[in-house]
């Protein structure tokens, strides 16, 4: 199932811009949008026309508003699949508040690398869950964000637009306005956000390359992800920075952002992450020195993030060095390789 392409183009994609909104919108907690259907959109589905008319909002968000009967066509409710016609007025009145407002603000330390009126970039430590879920009702990055800035409760998931696994460290961007959040979601969908990782893996890939294989829920072990035919398309680029026959430090670049993507993709080509509690088997771990076998988390760090600033349109980037625990792991592995 796993398709490996050797040494594909390794440069980040060029960023694209989105069109202007055709209606007034604000970030004060209430949204009022209004536009007439032009001739060239006659016959389109309501959700398709709305996505073109109100480009500051993602299609999935517009579809949610349609399901909630917050979108009208000439004053009447309509379904996403209903056609619209020239001259009809599409109106949306919606609130940006959501269930995140019920989450508690908690005084949890944040390492903030950048902040302005639109964005917040944090360097997440290993062990911090991004947002509440089963088994983690609080003590998350989301709770910390609500303490950092209370009005983030007006945004879906407090402005969080992408995730890192609990035990993956590194860079994560948060939107501070609805417009910024929609822009970042669109950039992620267009695959123009550059997300680079450093990974320490078992074994040594023969060449640099690209893994293009769909990732989805494991058909039997439902708490795991796997390369499966029914999964969502996923692409990971990788190149070896250094290592030995038993381990490698890899630079990985994501084109897509599926759950556990790097962990699953590298496992699928026989190079699971050191310390991975889910995908590293005891048999594979035996190739490592004893001290490295005891590393307590997957050795994965989000080291670089680059995107188009939603407010200024400027290209911006941030870098995060390997954390102390991964540097210590490399010291162990390199000492073992040198016979020390």
């Amino acid at each position: 199932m796993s398709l490996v392409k050797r040494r594909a183009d390794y440069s980040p994609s060029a960023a694209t811009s989105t069109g202007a909104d055709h209606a007034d919108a604000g970030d004060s907690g209430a949204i009022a949008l209004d536009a007439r259907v032009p001739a060239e959109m006659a016959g389109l589905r309501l959700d398709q026309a709305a996505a073109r008319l109100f480009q500051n909002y993602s299609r999935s968000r517009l579809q949610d508003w349609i399901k909630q009967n917050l979108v009208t066509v000439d004053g009447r409710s309509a379904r996403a699949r209903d056609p619209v016609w020239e001259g009809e007025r599409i109106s949306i009145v919606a609130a940006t508040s959501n269930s995140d407002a019920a989450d508690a603000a908690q005084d949890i330390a944040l390492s903030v690398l950048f902040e302005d009126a639109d964005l917040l970039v944090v360097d997440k430590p290993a062990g911090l869950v991004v947002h509440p879920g089963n088994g983690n009702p609080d003590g998350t990055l989301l709770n910390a964000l609500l303490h950092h800035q209370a009005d983030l409760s007006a945004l879906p998931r407090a402005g969080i637009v992408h995730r890192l696994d609990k035990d993956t460290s590194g860079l994560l961007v948060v939107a501070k306005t609805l417009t910024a959040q929609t822009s970042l979601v669109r950039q992620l969908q267009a695959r123009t956000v550059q997300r680079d990782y450093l990974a320490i893996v078992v074994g040594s890939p023969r060449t640099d390359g690209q893994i293009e294989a769909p990732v989805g829920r494991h058909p039997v072990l439902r708490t795991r992800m796997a390369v499966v035919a029914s999964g969502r398309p996923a692409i990971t680029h990788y190149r070896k920075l250094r290592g030995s026959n038993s381990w490698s430090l890899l630079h990985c670049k994501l084109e897509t952002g599926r759950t556990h993507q790097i962990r699953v993709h590298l496992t699928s080509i026989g190079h699971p992450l050191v310390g991975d509690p889910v995908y590293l088997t005891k048999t594979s771990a035996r190739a490592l020195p004893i001290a490295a076998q005891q590393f307590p988390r997957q050795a994965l760090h989000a080291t670089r993030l680059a995107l188009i600033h939603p407010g200024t349109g400027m290209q911006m980037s941030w870098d995060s060095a390997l954390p102390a625990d991964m540097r210590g792991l490399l010291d162990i592995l390199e000492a073992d390789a040198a016979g020390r």
Side-chain angles (χ1 to χ4, degrees):
M1 178 64 65
S2 178
L3 175 62
V4 180
K5 299 178 180 179
R6 301 298 179 187
R7 200 47 192 160
D9 179 13
Y10 203 77
S11 61
S13 303
T16 60
S17 60
T18 58
D21 204 331
H22 290 214
D24 291 334
D27 297 309
S28 60
I31 296 172
L33 304 172
D34 193 83
R36 288 196 179 275
V37 178
E40 63 269 21
M41 295 186 192
L44 289 180
R45 290 167 49 116
L46 172 58
D47 57 352
Q48 294 172 331
R52 296 189 187 184
L53 290 169
F54 310 116
Q55 294 185 23
N56 277 355
Y57 303 92
S58 67
R59 185 168 176 178
S60 62
R61 178 168 292 160
L62 291 165
Q63 289 173 329
D64 285 341
W65 285 340
I66 293 170
K67 291 176 183 177
Q68 296 173 49
N69 294 319
L70 301 176
V71 181
T72 60
V73 179
D74 281 349
R76 68 181 187 277
S77 297
R79 297 168 298 182
R81 67 174 181 269
D82 290 344
V84 295
W85 304 104
E86 180 183 0
E88 289 184 323
R89 183 180 296 278
I90 300 177
S91 301
I92 304 172
V93 178
T96 60
S97 59
N98 58 80
S99 60
D100 293 336
D103 290 308
Q106 295 178 313
D107 189 3
I108 300 169
L110 288 176
S111 176
V112 178
L113 272 64
F114 174 84
E115 183 172 13
D116 66 5
D118 297 297
L119 299 179
L120 180 70
V121 176
V122 299
D123 198 346
K124 187 187 86 68
L128 181 64
V129 175
V130 171
H131 53 72
N134 292 335
N136 297 286
D138 58 14
T140 70
L141 175 66
L142 184 145
N143 300 108
L145 290 169
L146 294 177
H147 182 270
H148 180 79
Q149 184 170 327
D151 58 9
L152 287 176
S153 63
L155 299 178
R157 296 195 175 186
I160 296 169
V161 295
H162 66 116
R163 296 175 55 185
L164 294 176
D165 293 335
K166 173 184 176 182
D167 288 326
T168 296
S169 54
L171 298 174
L172 189 145
V173 64
V174 177
K176 295 178 65 176
T177 69
L178 183 60
T179 300
Q181 189 172 33
T182 302
S183 172
L184 293 175
V185 169
R186 288 186 182 278
Q187 291 184 53
L188 286 164
Q189 291 172 340
R191 302 182 183 181
T192 58
V193 176
Q194 181 182 345
R195 288 170 291 167
D196 295 5
Y197 292 74
L198 292 173
I200 304 174
V201 303
V202 175
S204 178
R206 289 193 299 272
T207 64
D208 300 341
Q210 170 184 304
I211 306 167
E212 184 170 358
V215 173
R217 189 69 58 184
H218 193 287
V220 178
L221 304 173
R222 304 302 290 173
T223 59
R224 300 186 180 191
M225 307 301 287
V227 170
V228 291
S230 60
R232 300 178 68 189
I235 301 174
T236 303
H237 303 267
Y238 64 92
R239 58 185 172 90
K240 183 174 177 177
L241 300 179
R242 65 180 190 266
S244 69
N245 289 332
S246 62
W247 64 274
S248 300
L249 174 64
L250 302 183
H251 179 277
C252 300
K253 181 174 76 70
L254 291 180
E255 281 196 33
T256 54
R258 310 307 178 205
T259 301
H260 295 185
Q261 178 175 317
I262 291 175
R263 298 164 66 186
V264 168
H265 269 176
L266 293 177
T267 299
S268 75
I269 63 169
H271 301 291
L273 292 170
V274 174
D276 195 318
V278 176
Y279 303 104
L280 176 64
T281 65
K282 291 182 179 179
T283 300
S284 296
R286 290 194 189 106
L288 304 168
I290 296 297
Q293 293 180 34
Q294 298 170 349
F295 194 69
R297 68 172 177 106
Q298 65 263 12
L300 184 63
H301 178 70
T303 189
R304 183 172 177 82
L305 177 68
L307 50 82
I308 300 297
H309 190 284
T312 66
M314 299 292 292
Q315 178 78 36
M316 299 191 73
S317 63
W318 300 269
D319 296 280
S320 172
L322 270 181
D325 63 343
M326 287 183 65
R327 293 199 305 270
L329 174 61
L330 283 177
D331 289 343
I332 293 170
L333 293 169
E334 289 179 332
D336 179 76
R340 299 196 298 271

